[in-house]
């Protein structure tokens, strides 16, 4: 149900004319994406939504070894994905989105939203991340995804 493990994929399904509510016989939500990958491998699930790179970092429940990505198929892989001109190293069924989204409710003032955004960027260990993500924009500039 999170952005990387559901919302983006639900949007792609809807764009393709499919309903994630009416089309599947069963829809299961978990809180562990590694279990989701293993569930596809062991036949518990037919199809799964996981964040990009989850397959490559999941350990096979049966062997303890990293999962071989060739055992799985990415549905509708997006061609030529890149960040700042660098090819993206993983297959993805959706466009790329910033990993750490920060939003405010409509009643929060622009000054407060900007101050919170500045505070988050000031976290030294992560300060450069937000500036380097393609599509990242400053609060109140009118950019970003509207859907």
């Amino acid at each position: 149900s999170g952005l990387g493990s559901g919302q983006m994929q639900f949007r792609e399904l809807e764009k393709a004319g499919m309903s994630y509510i009416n089309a599947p016989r069963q829809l299961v939500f978990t809180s562990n994406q590694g279990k989701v990958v293993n569930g596809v491998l062991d036949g518990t699930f037919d199809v799964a939504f996981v964040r990009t790179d989850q397959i490559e970092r999941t350990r096979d429940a049966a062997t303890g070894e990293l999962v071989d990505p060739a055992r799985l198929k990415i549905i509708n892989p997006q061609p030529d994905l890149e960040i700042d001109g660098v090819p993206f190293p993983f297959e993805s069924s959706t466009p790329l989105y910033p990993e750490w989204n920060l939003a405010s409710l409509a009643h929060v003032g622009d000054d407060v939203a900007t101050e919170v955004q500045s505070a988050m960027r000031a976290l030294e260990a992560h300060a450069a991340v937000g500036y380097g993500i393609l599509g990242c924009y400053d609060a109140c500039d009118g950019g970003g995804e509207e859907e």
Side-chain angles (χ1 to χ4, degrees), residues 3 51 97-103 120 125-130 133 136:
L3 182 66
R51 60 169 276 135
Y97 294 85
E99 185 167 1
W100 298 303
N101 296 309
L102 183 62
M120 294 301 290
H126 301 288
V129 172
I133 297 173
C136 184

Side-chain angles (χ1 to χ4, degrees), residues 32-39 50 54 58-59:
N32 183 318
Q33 293 187 38
K35 287 183 180 179
V36 172
V37 173
N38 276 293
V50 294
Q54 183 64 50
T58 296
R59 296 207 171 266

Side-chain angles (χ1 to χ4, degrees), residues 34-97:
K35 287 183 180 179
V36 172
V37 173
N38 276 293
V40 172
L41 292 173
D42 72 18
T44 301
F45 308 123
D46 295 324
V47 177
F49 301 145
V50 294
R51 60 169 276 135
T52 301
D53 89 349
Q54 183 64 50
I55 294 168
E56 292 81 3
R57 61 190 175 118
T58 296
R59 296 207 171 266
D60 187 309
T63 67
E65 300 295 320
L66 286 173
V67 166
D68 177 3
R71 293 177 60 196
L72 300 161
K73 176 184 175 184
I74 304 299
I75 298 172
N76 193 33
Q78 301 296 299
D80 305 318
L81 294 175
E82 57 182 47
I83 297 175
D84 295 331
V86 177
F88 192 66
F90 306 105
E91 285 191 293
S92 178
S93 59
T94 69
L96 300 178
Y97 294 85

